[in-house]
Amino acid sequence: MKKPNIKELITQSTYSTIYTPIFKTGTKDIFAYEALSKFVLHGEEISCTEFFSRLQSNEKLFFHLEKKNKHHQIINADKSKKLILYFDIAVFSEKEYRKFWKEYLSEYKHRIIINILYQGSLSDDNLKIKEKMIKWLIKHEFEFIINIFDDFTYAVSFDEIEKATYIRINNSILEKTISNKSYKSLLSFVINFAKDNNTKSIIKHIKSKEELMLAENLTAEYMQGDVFD
């Protein structure tokens, strides 16, 4: 498909939310659902990364679309479980945006978990926005997730792990650990450090029984992946 422009993505794509379960380790008990956006244009699925990265250059439009998006995700979710919502730092960058999110999300504070993410590389300005966002989340008592080991070009911030409610570990490091056992010591250390600081760990995208066995040996509290389907 020809690469669509942002106007075409917004006006012509269809939107839905997929709710993916997160399980308590070693059980079939669902701890939470994560809300994942799905966009389809001309019969083909558009990657969320591509969709939202196109919006980076227009933060105001990004913010207004995310207001509708998050409302849809919250009102259609299973209210008996925690709900993980993905927020790009761009939609928290301005004071007026943070004011809106504080007022809107406070009603759902008891059941939502905010996952902080960003599109592309973290510039110095984006790092500052991320730091402000973490301080804002702590100040207003929102539970939140930081992502680690998603990209090995970024160092693990133990200060962020200490502050976060949860850390999210992608399976990229599980794959590395299976091919190079020395990574297991690093991963175990990070998970135990988080545990000692009352930060819980979620291991994502577990794809095989071998990855599942490894994950179960690491004592993370929660897991998600194709292996559970």
Side-chain angles (χ1 to χ4, degrees), residues 6 9 13-18 35-40 44-56 62 66 69-70 73 86 88 117-120:
I6 191 61
L9 282 171
S13 64
T14 58
Y15 169 82
S16 60
T17 297
I18 300 170
L36 304 174
S37 299
K38 181 179 179 181
F39 302 93
V40 176
E44 293 186 34
E45 188 171 337
I46 304 295
S47 129
C48 289
T49 300
E50 178 184 353
F51 186 95
F52 290 120
S53 65
R54 298 283 196 88
L55 291 170
Q56 286 294 306
F62 196 174
E66 274 292 70
N69 182 27
K70 292 299 180 276
Q73 292 176 345
Y86 286 82
D88 191 286
L117 39 87
Y118 44 87
Q119 304 294 336

PDB file of all heavy atoms in Angstrom, residues 6 9 13-18 35-40 44-56 62 66 69-70 73 86 88 117-120:
ATOM      1  N   ILE A   6      -1.043  11.687   6.990  1.00  0.00           N
ATOM      2  CA  ILE A   6      -1.731  11.665   8.283  1.00  0.00           C
ATOM      3  C   ILE A   6      -3.212  12.002   8.148  1.00  0.00           C
ATOM      4  O   ILE A   6      -4.057  11.435   8.846  1.00  0.00           O
ATOM      5  CB  ILE A   6      -1.037  12.608   9.305  1.00  0.00           C
ATOM      6  CG1 ILE A   6      -1.597  12.381  10.706  1.00  0.00           C
ATOM      7  CG2 ILE A   6      -1.156  14.049   8.893  1.00  0.00           C
ATOM      8  CD1 ILE A   6      -1.401  10.999  11.244  1.00  0.00           C
ATOM      9  N   LEU A   9      -4.906   8.857   7.125  1.00  0.00           N
ATOM     10  CA  LEU A   9      -4.947   7.924   8.249  1.00  0.00           C
ATOM     11  C   LEU A   9      -6.086   8.259   9.201  1.00  0.00           C
ATOM     12  O   LEU A   9      -6.810   7.379   9.676  1.00  0.00           O
ATOM     13  CB  LEU A   9      -3.618   7.959   9.013  1.00  0.00           C
ATOM     14  CG  LEU A   9      -2.441   7.200   8.410  1.00  0.00           C
ATOM     15  CD1 LEU A   9      -1.169   7.512   9.172  1.00  0.00           C
ATOM     16  CD2 LEU A   9      -2.700   5.708   8.428  1.00  0.00           C
ATOM     17  N   SER A  13      -9.216   5.720   8.040  1.00  0.00           N
ATOM     18  CA  SER A  13      -8.932   4.451   8.703  1.00  0.00           C
ATOM     19  C   SER A  13     -10.045   4.107   9.695  1.00  0.00           C
ATOM     20  O   SER A  13     -10.717   4.991  10.231  1.00  0.00           O
ATOM     21  CB  SER A  13      -7.587   4.502   9.428  1.00  0.00           C
ATOM     22  OG  SER A  13      -7.615   5.466  10.467  1.00  0.00           O
ATOM     23  N   THR A  14     -10.255   2.809   9.910  1.00  0.00           N
ATOM     24  CA  THR A  14     -11.197   2.359  10.946  1.00  0.00           C
ATOM     25  C   THR A  14     -10.396   2.047  12.207  1.00  0.00           C
ATOM     26  O   THR A  14      -9.230   1.646  12.134  1.00  0.00           O
ATOM     27  CB  THR A  14     -11.968   1.109  10.494  1.00  0.00           C
ATOM     28  OG1 THR A  14     -11.041   0.067  10.192  1.00  0.00           O
ATOM     29  CG2 THR A  14     -12.810   1.411   9.273  1.00  0.00           C
ATOM     30  N   TYR A  15     -11.044   2.221  13.347  1.00  0.00           N
ATOM     31  CA  TYR A  15     -10.342   2.097  14.625  1.00  0.00           C
ATOM     32  C   TYR A  15     -11.054   1.099  15.524  1.00  0.00           C
ATOM     33  O   TYR A  15     -12.283   1.034  15.552  1.00  0.00           O
ATOM     34  CB  TYR A  15     -10.291   3.466  15.324  1.00  0.00           C
ATOM     35  CG  TYR A  15      -9.833   3.369  16.760  1.00  0.00           C
ATOM     36  CD1 TYR A  15      -8.475   3.295  17.068  1.00  0.00           C
ATOM     37  CD2 TYR A  15     -10.740   3.316  17.804  1.00  0.00           C
ATOM     38  CE1 TYR A  15      -8.047   3.181  18.374  1.00  0.00           C
ATOM     39  CE2 TYR A  15     -10.321   3.208  19.126  1.00  0.00           C
ATOM     40  CZ  TYR A  15      -8.973   3.134  19.406  1.00  0.00           C
ATOM     41  OH  TYR A  15      -8.549   3.009  20.687  1.00  0.00           O
ATOM     42  N   SER A  16     -10.259   0.326  16.259  1.00  0.00           N
ATOM     43  CA  SER A  16     -10.815  -0.548  17.291  1.00  0.00           C
ATOM     44  C   SER A  16      -9.763  -0.740  18.369  1.00  0.00           C
ATOM     45  O   SER A  16      -8.593  -0.379  18.189  1.00  0.00           O
ATOM     46  CB  SER A  16     -11.234  -1.903  16.698  1.00  0.00           C
ATOM     47  OG  SER A  16     -10.123  -2.557  16.132  1.00  0.00           O
ATOM     48  N   THR A  17     -10.176  -1.298  19.500  1.00  0.00           N
ATOM     49  CA  THR A  17      -9.249  -1.567  20.589  1.00  0.00           C
ATOM     50  C   THR A  17      -9.191  -3.068  20.844  1.00  0.00           C
ATOM     51  O   THR A  17     -10.222  -3.731  20.899  1.00  0.00           O
ATOM     52  CB  THR A  17      -9.680  -0.862  21.888  1.00  0.00           C
ATOM     53  OG1 THR A  17      -9.648   0.556  21.692  1.00  0.00           O
ATOM     54  CG2 THR A  17      -8.751  -1.207  23.039  1.00  0.00           C
ATOM     55  N   ILE A  18      -7.991  -3.570  20.989  1.00  0.00           N
ATOM     56  CA  ILE A  18      -7.779  -4.963  21.384  1.00  0.00           C
ATOM     57  C   ILE A  18      -7.361  -4.958  22.850  1.00  0.00           C
ATOM     58  O   ILE A  18      -6.453  -4.217  23.242  1.00  0.00           O
ATOM     59  CB  ILE A  18      -6.679  -5.615  20.526  1.00  0.00           C
ATOM     60  CG1 ILE A  18      -7.075  -5.590  19.053  1.00  0.00           C
ATOM     61  CG2 ILE A  18      -6.401  -7.045  20.991  1.00  0.00           C
ATOM     62  CD1 ILE A  18      -5.954  -5.978  18.115  1.00  0.00           C
ATOM     63  N   ALA A  35      -4.772  -2.008  26.766  1.00  0.00           N
ATOM     64  CA  ALA A  35      -5.564  -1.519  25.644  1.00  0.00           C
ATOM     65  C   ALA A  35      -4.637  -1.185  24.484  1.00  0.00           C
ATOM     66  O   ALA A  35      -3.785  -0.304  24.594  1.00  0.00           O
ATOM     67  CB  ALA A  35      -6.360  -0.284  26.066  1.00  0.00           C
ATOM     68  N   LEU A  36      -4.813  -1.900  23.384  1.00  0.00           N
ATOM     69  CA  LEU A  36      -3.981  -1.704  22.202  1.00  0.00           C
ATOM     70  C   LEU A  36      -4.841  -1.208  21.050  1.00  0.00           C
ATOM     71  O   LEU A  36      -5.855  -1.831  20.712  1.00  0.00           O
ATOM     72  CB  LEU A  36      -3.292  -3.009  21.806  1.00  0.00           C
ATOM     73  CG  LEU A  36      -2.432  -3.668  22.898  1.00  0.00           C
ATOM     74  CD1 LEU A  36      -1.934  -5.026  22.415  1.00  0.00           C
ATOM     75  CD2 LEU A  36      -1.264  -2.770  23.276  1.00  0.00           C
ATOM     76  N   SER A  37      -4.452  -0.107  20.447  1.00  0.00           N
ATOM     77  CA  SER A  37      -5.211   0.460  19.333  1.00  0.00           C
ATOM     78  C   SER A  37      -4.932  -0.320  18.049  1.00  0.00           C
ATOM     79  O   SER A  37      -3.815  -0.790  17.823  1.00  0.00           O
ATOM     80  CB  SER A  37      -4.825   1.925  19.116  1.00  0.00           C
ATOM     81  OG  SER A  37      -5.120   2.680  20.262  1.00  0.00           O
ATOM     82  N   LYS A  38      -5.960  -0.431  17.219  1.00  0.00           N
ATOM     83  CA  LYS A  38      -5.818  -1.099  15.920  1.00  0.00           C
ATOM     84  C   LYS A  38      -6.413  -0.209  14.838  1.00  0.00           C
ATOM     85  O   LYS A  38      -7.563   0.214  14.944  1.00  0.00           O
ATOM     86  CB  LYS A  38      -6.515  -2.459  15.930  1.00  0.00           C
ATOM     87  CG  LYS A  38      -6.388  -3.228  14.624  1.00  0.00           C
ATOM     88  CD  LYS A  38      -7.094  -4.580  14.715  1.00  0.00           C
ATOM     89  CE  LYS A  38      -6.995  -5.345  13.407  1.00  0.00           C
ATOM     90  NZ  LYS A  38      -7.701  -6.643  13.474  1.00  0.00           N
ATOM     91  N   PHE A  39      -5.616   0.081  13.817  1.00  0.00           N
ATOM     92  CA  PHE A  39      -6.059   0.922  12.706  1.00  0.00           C
ATOM     93  C   PHE A  39      -6.006   0.124  11.406  1.00  0.00           C
ATOM     94  O   PHE A  39      -5.025  -0.583  11.146  1.00  0.00           O
ATOM     95  CB  PHE A  39      -5.163   2.160  12.576  1.00  0.00           C
ATOM     96  CG  PHE A  39      -5.123   3.009  13.815  1.00  0.00           C
ATOM     97  CD1 PHE A  39      -4.134   2.828  14.767  1.00  0.00           C
ATOM     98  CD2 PHE A  39      -6.088   3.985  14.031  1.00  0.00           C
ATOM     99  CE1 PHE A  39      -4.098   3.608  15.913  1.00  0.00           C
ATOM    100  CE2 PHE A  39      -6.057   4.766  15.171  1.00  0.00           C
ATOM    101  CZ  PHE A  39      -5.064   4.579  16.117  1.00  0.00           C
ATOM    102  N   VAL A  40      -7.050   0.226  10.603  1.00  0.00           N
ATOM    103  CA  VAL A  40      -7.102  -0.459   9.307  1.00  0.00           C
ATOM    104  C   VAL A  40      -7.436   0.566   8.235  1.00  0.00           C
ATOM    105  O   VAL A  40      -8.387   1.350   8.383  1.00  0.00           O
ATOM    106  CB  VAL A  40      -8.151  -1.597   9.313  1.00  0.00           C
ATOM    107  CG1 VAL A  40      -8.257  -2.227   7.925  1.00  0.00           C
ATOM    108  CG2 VAL A  40      -7.800  -2.652  10.352  1.00  0.00           C
ATOM    109  N   GLU A  44      -5.996  -2.928   5.024  1.00  0.00           N
ATOM    110  CA  GLU A  44      -4.701  -3.323   5.585  1.00  0.00           C
ATOM    111  C   GLU A  44      -4.495  -2.677   6.944  1.00  0.00           C
ATOM    112  O   GLU A  44      -4.810  -1.501   7.145  1.00  0.00           O
ATOM    113  CB  GLU A  44      -3.559  -2.916   4.651  1.00  0.00           C
ATOM    114  CG  GLU A  44      -3.543  -3.675   3.334  1.00  0.00           C
ATOM    115  CD  GLU A  44      -2.316  -3.344   2.515  1.00  0.00           C
ATOM    116  OE1 GLU A  44      -1.241  -3.105   3.110  1.00  0.00           O
ATOM    117  OE2 GLU A  44      -2.430  -3.301   1.275  1.00  0.00           O
ATOM    118  N   GLU A  45      -3.946  -3.474   7.885  1.00  0.00           N
ATOM    119  CA  GLU A  45      -3.692  -2.955   9.230  1.00  0.00           C
ATOM    120  C   GLU A  45      -2.480  -2.027   9.217  1.00  0.00           C
ATOM    121  O   GLU A  45      -1.460  -2.318   8.592  1.00  0.00           O
ATOM    122  CB  GLU A  45      -3.451  -4.104  10.203  1.00  0.00           C
ATOM    123  CG  GLU A  45      -3.376  -3.659  11.649  1.00  0.00           C
ATOM    124  CD  GLU A  45      -3.359  -4.817  12.622  1.00  0.00           C
ATOM    125  OE1 GLU A  45      -3.825  -5.923  12.248  1.00  0.00           O
ATOM    126  OE2 GLU A  45      -2.890  -4.624  13.751  1.00  0.00           O
ATOM    127  N   ILE A  46      -2.625  -0.878   9.881  1.00  0.00           N
ATOM    128  CA  ILE A  46      -1.542   0.101  10.000  1.00  0.00           C
ATOM    129  C   ILE A  46      -0.907  -0.055  11.375  1.00  0.00           C
ATOM    130  O   ILE A  46      -1.599  -0.109  12.388  1.00  0.00           O
ATOM    131  CB  ILE A  46      -2.065   1.546   9.848  1.00  0.00           C
ATOM    132  CG1 ILE A  46      -2.813   1.705   8.522  1.00  0.00           C
ATOM    133  CG2 ILE A  46      -0.935   2.549   9.954  1.00  0.00           C
ATOM    134  CD1 ILE A  46      -1.972   1.545   7.303  1.00  0.00           C
ATOM    135  N   SER A  47       0.399  -0.127  11.409  1.00  0.00           N
ATOM    136  CA  SER A  47       1.077  -0.247  12.691  1.00  0.00           C
ATOM    137  C   SER A  47       0.803   0.979  13.558  1.00  0.00           C
ATOM    138  O   SER A  47       0.837   2.113  13.094  1.00  0.00           O
ATOM    139  CB  SER A  47       2.577  -0.416  12.439  1.00  0.00           C
ATOM    140  OG  SER A  47       3.349   0.462  13.159  1.00  0.00           O
ATOM    141  N   CYS A  48       0.515   0.725  14.845  1.00  0.00           N
ATOM    142  CA  CYS A  48       0.275   1.838  15.780  1.00  0.00           C
ATOM    143  C   CYS A  48       1.511   2.722  15.884  1.00  0.00           C
ATOM    144  O   CYS A  48       1.397   3.938  16.020  1.00  0.00           O
ATOM    145  CB  CYS A  48      -0.076   1.292  17.162  1.00  0.00           C
ATOM    146  SG  CYS A  48      -1.692   0.534  17.211  1.00  0.00           S
ATOM    147  N   THR A  49       2.674   2.097  15.845  1.00  0.00           N
ATOM    148  CA  THR A  49       3.918   2.869  15.911  1.00  0.00           C
ATOM    149  C   THR A  49       3.982   3.864  14.761  1.00  0.00           C
ATOM    150  O   THR A  49       4.315   5.040  14.941  1.00  0.00           O
ATOM    151  CB  THR A  49       5.139   1.932  15.861  1.00  0.00           C
ATOM    152  OG1 THR A  49       5.082   1.041  16.964  1.00  0.00           O
ATOM    153  CG2 THR A  49       6.429   2.726  15.906  1.00  0.00           C
ATOM    154  N   GLU A  50       3.630   3.383  13.558  1.00  0.00           N
ATOM    155  CA  GLU A  50       3.649   4.269  12.388  1.00  0.00           C
ATOM    156  C   GLU A  50       2.602   5.366  12.531  1.00  0.00           C
ATOM    157  O   GLU A  50       2.870   6.545  12.271  1.00  0.00           O
ATOM    158  CB  GLU A  50       3.376   3.478  11.104  1.00  0.00           C
ATOM    159  CG  GLU A  50       3.348   4.350   9.863  1.00  0.00           C
ATOM    160  CD  GLU A  50       2.977   3.596   8.600  1.00  0.00           C
ATOM    161  OE1 GLU A  50       2.865   2.354   8.654  1.00  0.00           O
ATOM    162  OE2 GLU A  50       2.777   4.255   7.564  1.00  0.00           O
ATOM    163  N   PHE A  51       1.391   4.986  12.969  1.00  0.00           N
ATOM    164  CA  PHE A  51       0.309   5.952  13.080  1.00  0.00           C
ATOM    165  C   PHE A  51       0.681   7.078  14.044  1.00  0.00           C
ATOM    166  O   PHE A  51       0.604   8.260  13.701  1.00  0.00           O
ATOM    167  CB  PHE A  51      -0.971   5.251  13.555  1.00  0.00           C
ATOM    168  CG  PHE A  51      -2.181   6.148  13.565  1.00  0.00           C
ATOM    169  CD1 PHE A  51      -3.052   6.164  12.480  1.00  0.00           C
ATOM    170  CD2 PHE A  51      -2.473   6.971  14.644  1.00  0.00           C
ATOM    171  CE1 PHE A  51      -4.173   6.982  12.476  1.00  0.00           C
ATOM    172  CE2 PHE A  51      -3.587   7.792  14.651  1.00  0.00           C
ATOM    173  CZ  PHE A  51      -4.442   7.797  13.565  1.00  0.00           C
ATOM    174  N   PHE A  52       1.106   6.704  15.253  1.00  0.00           N
ATOM    175  CA  PHE A  52       1.375   7.721  16.262  1.00  0.00           C
ATOM    176  C   PHE A  52       2.679   8.477  15.998  1.00  0.00           C
ATOM    177  O   PHE A  52       2.807   9.644  16.382  1.00  0.00           O
ATOM    178  CB  PHE A  52       1.367   7.099  17.653  1.00  0.00           C
ATOM    179  CG  PHE A  52       0.000   6.673  18.109  1.00  0.00           C
ATOM    180  CD1 PHE A  52      -0.259   5.349  18.429  1.00  0.00           C
ATOM    181  CD2 PHE A  52      -1.031   7.584  18.197  1.00  0.00           C
ATOM    182  CE1 PHE A  52      -1.530   4.944  18.839  1.00  0.00           C
ATOM    183  CE2 PHE A  52      -2.311   7.199  18.605  1.00  0.00           C
ATOM    184  CZ  PHE A  52      -2.552   5.871  18.920  1.00  0.00           C
ATOM    185  N   SER A  53       3.634   7.832  15.344  1.00  0.00           N
ATOM    186  CA  SER A  53       4.868   8.560  15.031  1.00  0.00           C
ATOM    187  C   SER A  53       4.605   9.680  14.039  1.00  0.00           C
ATOM    188  O   SER A  53       5.272  10.720  14.046  1.00  0.00           O
ATOM    189  CB  SER A  53       5.932   7.601  14.477  1.00  0.00           C
ATOM    190  OG  SER A  53       5.525   7.055  13.250  1.00  0.00           O
ATOM    191  N   ARG A  54       3.587   9.497  13.165  1.00  0.00           N
ATOM    192  CA  ARG A  54       3.217  10.548  12.205  1.00  0.00           C
ATOM    193  C   ARG A  54       2.650  11.768  12.927  1.00  0.00           C
ATOM    194  O   ARG A  54       2.659  12.883  12.401  1.00  0.00           O
ATOM    195  CB  ARG A  54       2.162  10.027  11.235  1.00  0.00           C
ATOM    196  CG  ARG A  54       2.611   8.879  10.394  1.00  0.00           C
ATOM    197  CD  ARG A  54       3.523   9.327   9.244  1.00  0.00           C
ATOM    198  NE  ARG A  54       3.595   8.246   8.276  1.00  0.00           N
ATOM    199  CZ  ARG A  54       2.751   8.092   7.287  1.00  0.00           C
ATOM    200  NH1 ARG A  54       1.780   8.952   7.083  1.00  0.00           N
ATOM    201  NH2 ARG A  54       2.878   7.062   6.483  1.00  0.00           N
ATOM    202  N   LEU A  55       2.102  11.548  14.128  1.00  0.00           N
ATOM    203  CA  LEU A  55       1.471  12.644  14.856  1.00  0.00           C
ATOM    204  C   LEU A  55       2.464  13.469  15.675  1.00  0.00           C
ATOM    205  O   LEU A  55       2.100  14.496  16.242  1.00  0.00           O
ATOM    206  CB  LEU A  55       0.393  12.097  15.805  1.00  0.00           C
ATOM    207  CG  LEU A  55      -0.854  11.511  15.131  1.00  0.00           C
ATOM    208  CD1 LEU A  55      -1.716  10.802  16.158  1.00  0.00           C
ATOM    209  CD2 LEU A  55      -1.654  12.601  14.443  1.00  0.00           C
ATOM    210  N   GLN A  56       3.697  12.983  15.775  1.00  0.00           N
ATOM    211  CA  GLN A  56       4.675  13.655  16.625  1.00  0.00           C
ATOM    212  C   GLN A  56       4.888  15.114  16.242  1.00  0.00           C
ATOM    213  O   GLN A  56       5.152  15.948  17.099  1.00  0.00           O
ATOM    214  CB  GLN A  56       6.010  12.908  16.559  1.00  0.00           C
ATOM    215  CG  GLN A  56       6.033  11.591  17.310  1.00  0.00           C
ATOM    216  CD  GLN A  56       5.900  11.781  18.798  1.00  0.00           C
ATOM    217  OE1 GLN A  56       6.657  12.524  19.413  1.00  0.00           O
ATOM    218  NE2 GLN A  56       4.938  11.110  19.399  1.00  0.00           N
ATOM    219  N   PHE A  62      -2.348  15.354  18.056  1.00  0.00           N
ATOM    220  CA  PHE A  62      -2.065  14.118  18.781  1.00  0.00           C
ATOM    221  C   PHE A  62      -2.864  14.092  20.088  1.00  0.00           C
ATOM    222  O   PHE A  62      -3.530  13.096  20.407  1.00  0.00           O
ATOM    223  CB  PHE A  62      -0.563  14.052  19.057  1.00  0.00           C
ATOM    224  CG  PHE A  62      -0.046  12.693  19.448  1.00  0.00           C
ATOM    225  CD1 PHE A  62       1.320  12.489  19.608  1.00  0.00           C
ATOM    226  CD2 PHE A  62      -0.884  11.606  19.654  1.00  0.00           C
ATOM    227  CE1 PHE A  62       1.831  11.249  19.968  1.00  0.00           C
ATOM    228  CE2 PHE A  62      -0.379  10.357  20.009  1.00  0.00           C
ATOM    229  CZ  PHE A  62       0.981  10.192  20.166  1.00  0.00           C
ATOM    230  N   GLU A  66      -5.916  11.542  21.071  1.00  0.00           N
ATOM    231  CA  GLU A  66      -5.738  10.655  22.227  1.00  0.00           C
ATOM    232  C   GLU A  66      -6.843  10.829  23.265  1.00  0.00           C
ATOM    233  O   GLU A  66      -7.176   9.871  23.975  1.00  0.00           O
ATOM    234  CB  GLU A  66      -4.363  10.896  22.871  1.00  0.00           C
ATOM    235  CG  GLU A  66      -3.241  10.102  22.237  1.00  0.00           C
ATOM    236  CD  GLU A  66      -3.362   8.609  22.494  1.00  0.00           C
ATOM    237  OE1 GLU A  66      -4.288   7.963  21.937  1.00  0.00           O
ATOM    238  OE2 GLU A  66      -2.529   8.079  23.228  1.00  0.00           O
ATOM    239  N   ASN A  69      -9.417   8.561  21.900  1.00  0.00           N
ATOM    240  CA  ASN A  69      -8.899   7.204  21.943  1.00  0.00           C
ATOM    241  C   ASN A  69      -8.973   6.624  23.357  1.00  0.00           C
ATOM    242  O   ASN A  69      -9.484   5.512  23.573  1.00  0.00           O
ATOM    243  CB  ASN A  69      -7.449   7.210  21.440  1.00  0.00           C
ATOM    244  CG  ASN A  69      -6.821   5.836  21.393  1.00  0.00           C
ATOM    245  OD1 ASN A  69      -7.512   4.834  21.249  1.00  0.00           O
ATOM    246  ND2 ASN A  69      -5.506   5.791  21.509  1.00  0.00           N
ATOM    247  N   LYS A  70      -8.469   7.368  24.332  1.00  0.00           N
ATOM    248  CA  LYS A  70      -8.442   6.869  25.700  1.00  0.00           C
ATOM    249  C   LYS A  70      -9.848   6.744  26.276  1.00  0.00           C
ATOM    250  O   LYS A  70     -10.130   5.829  27.055  1.00  0.00           O
ATOM    251  CB  LYS A  70      -7.580   7.785  26.586  1.00  0.00           C
ATOM    252  CG  LYS A  70      -6.097   7.725  26.237  1.00  0.00           C
ATOM    253  CD  LYS A  70      -5.554   6.307  26.417  1.00  0.00           C
ATOM    254  CE  LYS A  70      -4.077   6.196  26.083  1.00  0.00           C
ATOM    255  NZ  LYS A  70      -3.821   6.009  24.649  1.00  0.00           N
ATOM    256  N   GLN A  73     -11.150   3.496  25.005  1.00  0.00           N
ATOM    257  CA  GLN A  73     -10.500   2.360  25.651  1.00  0.00           C
ATOM    258  C   GLN A  73     -11.001   2.139  27.074  1.00  0.00           C
ATOM    259  O   GLN A  73     -11.212   0.995  27.497  1.00  0.00           O
ATOM    260  CB  GLN A  73      -8.983   2.577  25.651  1.00  0.00           C
ATOM    261  CG  GLN A  73      -8.380   2.512  24.257  1.00  0.00           C
ATOM    262  CD  GLN A  73      -6.896   2.812  24.239  1.00  0.00           C
ATOM    263  OE1 GLN A  73      -6.335   3.335  25.214  1.00  0.00           O
ATOM    264  NE2 GLN A  73      -6.237   2.507  23.133  1.00  0.00           N
ATOM    265  N   TYR A  86      -1.530   3.102  27.221  1.00  0.00           N
ATOM    266  CA  TYR A  86      -0.257   3.599  26.692  1.00  0.00           C
ATOM    267  C   TYR A  86      -0.360   5.091  26.412  1.00  0.00           C
ATOM    268  O   TYR A  86      -1.267   5.535  25.710  1.00  0.00           O
ATOM    269  CB  TYR A  86       0.113   2.845  25.417  1.00  0.00           C
ATOM    270  CG  TYR A  86       0.582   1.440  25.690  1.00  0.00           C
ATOM    271  CD1 TYR A  86      -0.328   0.407  25.888  1.00  0.00           C
ATOM    272  CD2 TYR A  86       1.939   1.148  25.780  1.00  0.00           C
ATOM    273  CE1 TYR A  86       0.104  -0.885  26.163  1.00  0.00           C
ATOM    274  CE2 TYR A  86       2.385  -0.139  26.046  1.00  0.00           C
ATOM    275  CZ  TYR A  86       1.459  -1.142  26.235  1.00  0.00           C
ATOM    276  OH  TYR A  86       1.888  -2.421  26.515  1.00  0.00           O
ATOM    277  N   ASP A  88       1.995   8.334  25.083  1.00  0.00           N
ATOM    278  CA  ASP A  88       3.223   8.933  24.584  1.00  0.00           C
ATOM    279  C   ASP A  88       3.489  10.213  25.378  1.00  0.00           C
ATOM    280  O   ASP A  88       2.562  10.951  25.719  1.00  0.00           O
ATOM    281  CB  ASP A  88       3.073   9.260  23.089  1.00  0.00           C
ATOM    282  CG  ASP A  88       4.403   9.634  22.455  1.00  0.00           C
ATOM    283  OD1 ASP A  88       4.886  10.755  22.726  1.00  0.00           O
ATOM    284  OD2 ASP A  88       4.942   8.824  21.701  1.00  0.00           O
ATOM    285  N   LEU A 117       5.493   5.800  27.071  1.00  0.00           N
ATOM    286  CA  LEU A 117       6.326   5.482  25.921  1.00  0.00           C
ATOM    287  C   LEU A 117       6.615   6.715  25.095  1.00  0.00           C
ATOM    288  O   LEU A 117       6.124   7.794  25.367  1.00  0.00           O
ATOM    289  CB  LEU A 117       5.728   4.377  25.056  1.00  0.00           C
ATOM    290  CG  LEU A 117       4.258   4.273  24.774  1.00  0.00           C
ATOM    291  CD1 LEU A 117       3.806   5.072  23.578  1.00  0.00           C
ATOM    292  CD2 LEU A 117       3.990   2.810  24.435  1.00  0.00           C
ATOM    293  N   TYR A 118       7.441   6.521  24.080  1.00  0.00           N
ATOM    294  CA  TYR A 118       7.856   7.621  23.229  1.00  0.00           C
ATOM    295  C   TYR A 118       8.180   7.044  21.863  1.00  0.00           C
ATOM    296  O   TYR A 118       8.581   5.888  21.732  1.00  0.00           O
ATOM    297  CB  TYR A 118       9.090   8.334  23.803  1.00  0.00           C
ATOM    298  CG  TYR A 118      10.146   7.388  24.302  1.00  0.00           C
ATOM    299  CD1 TYR A 118      11.127   6.892  23.440  1.00  0.00           C
ATOM    300  CD2 TYR A 118      10.153   6.966  25.623  1.00  0.00           C
ATOM    301  CE1 TYR A 118      12.074   6.006  23.888  1.00  0.00           C
ATOM    302  CE2 TYR A 118      11.104   6.063  26.080  1.00  0.00           C
ATOM    303  CZ  TYR A 118      12.063   5.592  25.208  1.00  0.00           C
ATOM    304  OH  TYR A 118      13.011   4.693  25.659  1.00  0.00           O
ATOM    305  N   GLN A 119       7.961   7.837  20.833  1.00  0.00           N
ATOM    306  CA  GLN A 119       8.244   7.412  19.468  1.00  0.00           C
ATOM    307  C   GLN A 119       9.627   7.908  19.069  1.00  0.00           C
ATOM    308  O   GLN A 119       9.942   9.070  19.229  1.00  0.00           O
ATOM    309  CB  GLN A 119       7.189   7.984  18.505  1.00  0.00           C
ATOM    310  CG  GLN A 119       5.762   7.642  18.867  1.00  0.00           C
ATOM    311  CD  GLN A 119       5.459   6.156  18.748  1.00  0.00           C
ATOM    312  OE1 GLN A 119       6.121   5.442  18.017  1.00  0.00           O
ATOM    313  NE2 GLN A 119       4.449   5.709  19.466  1.00  0.00           N
ATOM    314  N   GLY A 120      10.443   6.993  18.577  1.00  0.00           N
ATOM    315  CA  GLY A 120      11.764   7.405  18.114  1.00  0.00           C
ATOM    316  C   GLY A 120      12.753   7.519  19.261  1.00  0.00           C
ATOM    317  O   GLY A 120      12.554   6.998  20.354  1.00  0.00           O
TER     318      GLY A 120
END
